[in-house]
Amino acid sequence: MSRSSRTGRWFKYAVAAPVLGAVVRFTPFLDGNGAPPDFMNFAGAGEFRAVGRHQRAMLQQRAGLTGADRVLDIGSGIGRLAVALAEIYPDMTYRGFDPVELGVAWSRKALQGYSGFEVLRVRVANSFYAPTGGIRAEEFEFPYPPGSKDLAVALSVFTHLGAAAARQYFSQAIQCLAPGGRLYLTTFLLRDGPAHTAAAFEFYALGEGTYVASADEPDLAVAFEQSFWAGLAQEHGVQLDQVFPGTWADGSVGDDFQDALLFVKPG
Ligand SMILES: C[S@@+](CC[C@H](N)C(=O)[O-])C[C@H]1O[C@@H](n2cnc3c(N)ncnc32)[C@H](O)[C@@H]1O
């Protein structure tokens, strides 16, 4: 990654995102009812509502999501999933958190009137999304009681965490789950080592079953071997229930770009 694009990234997340967050909070015409303007979307490509509805459908099909689930959305971004959930499950209990002020400000505005939905801004560091720092992700403790969630979700978040942070987030997510709870996360999975044909990213080995696309900015895109996840599941006494291959590695046609994993905590 070049110095200028790193400076641009720093400006975007350290300066523009907090300023835009304040603009969203204090500007009445940005009322949260529609999609945020494109320049405010830092969470990924695609139309805000369409992506959220797709994420919701994937969770229904793959993780058995229902309106009765107490959902934890790790790295909730600009609220794409939250808004899609509120649309059909207005009484749901939902908790989301994210380090980017702008995303939290937009989500809160969009979720006004849905009393079961809460989004927290957390001061956790990430070299890509939170360059001004905060608590190290590998030391961050989720601000929710143990056993209080039925479904923990992390959509395109472990793709921005190094090995130590990923271990901590996995452990925290499992701790938050009630018996029988599920953790659904998306990741770049290296099934047979790093050699993938037609892969959207070229990853370099860092050790511990972890690979990064940029040595300069490690949190830009992180991939893990499947054994990394299988090891974590074993360590925490949870079952790696299903692997849903994405299309990123071979350019195939499928439901999602990233791979997805479903873990189940014993009942
Ligand atoms: C690609 S976006 C996906 C956002 C959201 N899950 C979605 O699909 O719309 C990645 C998100 O992870 C958040 N993030 C990065 N590091 C994080 C951390 N250590 N803890 C929680 N969220 C984090 C970013 O701020 C960003 O909102």
Side-chain angles (χ1 to χ4, degrees), residues 87-182:
E87 183 179 49
I88 61 164
Y89 305 131
D91 300 322
M92 170 176 261
T93 300
Y94 165 100
R95 299 289 178 270
F97 70 87
D98 200 281
V100 179
E101 167 88 41
L102 167 61
V104 172
W106 182 270
S107 309
R108 284 185 177 158
K109 233 177 177 182
L111 295 167
Q112 272 169 9
Y114 296 96
S115 60
F117 285 69
E118 275 178 27
V119 184
L120 278 183
R121 160 103 195 278
V122 295
R123 295 190 187 274
V124 61
N126 183 277
S127 77
F128 186 75
Y129 285 102
T132 50
I135 303 167
R136 283 152 46 95
E138 44 269 54
E139 288 164 10
F140 182 66
E141 293 183 4
F142 290 5
Y144 309 102
S148 62
K149 306 285 174 273
D150 304 302
L151 177 61
V153 175
L155 304 175
S156 192
V157 178
F158 282 94
T159 46
H160 303 287
L161 300 179
R167 287 178 182 285
Q168 173 71 0
Y169 270 50
F170 187 91
S171 158
Q172 292 289 304
I174 298 299
Q175 192 183 81
C176 283
L177 290 178
R182 297 94 76 210

